[in-house]
Amino acid sequence: MEAPTPEEHENAGRRAVLDALGGFRLVLDRQLRVIDASQEARAVLGAIEDFDHCGAARAALTSGETVRGREEFPGTEGRREVSVCATPLRSPEGEITGVLLYEEREPETRLRQELAERQEVCHTLFEEVPCYVSVQDRDYC
């Protein structure tokens, strides 16, 4: 088996970092084409390959500064409006090589999402188990 090329090694490392960070994250090149995406972004977006329409990413490339905004993305389940942050990526020489685009989730939004997920688990538990379930305190009340 051949050893991976430096580019394959870099791509695998980038993918591992994006997935470890979690959430909706994309790495775009200077033409706003997708270089890589986190697992969540791949699941939401499907086969979308460019983000030419993304104003925040375009502004980050032009200004060289981090840009925040609201963007609407097409996805596998219809259009989705997202609060995004676009940060220019630079080479060691300081040249802008692309953009990191990620969803900026407010703590409240994140907590609501976690609560909904936990409620779903509880609902499934109480509705799907083939027996009676009783929740009681220390006094069996």
Side-chain angles (χ1 to χ4, degrees):
M1 180 177 203
E2 285 185 37
T5 66
E7 185 176 305
E8 291 170 332
H9 186 69
E10 180 182 334
N11 292 344
R14 183 177 48 235
R15 173 73 52 90
V17 169
L18 289 172
D19 288 340
L21 290 172
F24 184 93
R25 298 180 192 282
L26 299 167
V27 177
L28 309 174
D29 65 11
R30 289 196 54 80
Q31 288 73 42
L32 302 178
R33 292 179 301 225
V34 176
I35 295 173
D36 214 337
S38 66
Q39 187 174 6
E40 182 178 327
R42 291 189 308 272
V44 169
L45 298 172
I48 295 173
E49 295 181 10
D50 71 68
F51 282 81
D52 195 290
H53 66 280
C54 183
R58 186 168 300 291
L61 279 175
T62 305
S63 70
E65 302 289 326
T66 296
V67 176
R68 288 175 169 76
R70 296 212 37 92
E71 299 287 341
E72 190 173 287
F73 295 110
T76 55
E77 297 177 10
R79 298 196 74 76
R80 176 179 174 188
E81 189 171 310
V82 177
S83 289
V84 296
C85 186
T87 300
L89 299 173
R90 297 180 186 275
S91 69
E93 295 79 32
E95 178 186 335
I96 296 175
T97 58
V99 177
L100 173 63
L101 184 70
Y102 59 95
E103 182 176 10
E104 201 167 51
R105 294 182 179 164
E106 301 165 8
E108 250 181 58
T109 305
R110 213 172 313 132
L111 290 174
R112 280 194 198 109
Q113 185 176 5
E114 285 178 27
L115 177 61
E117 290 168 4
R118 289 179 185 186
Q119 285 175 328
E120 180 65 27
V121 168
C122 288
H123 176 76
T124 301
L125 172 69
F126 282 95
E127 295 298 321
E128 301 295 327
V129 295
C131 61
Y132 292 105
V133 176
S134 173
V135 178
Q136 301 170 344
D137 64 14
R138 290 181 185 175
D139 298 324
Y140 302 105
C141 294

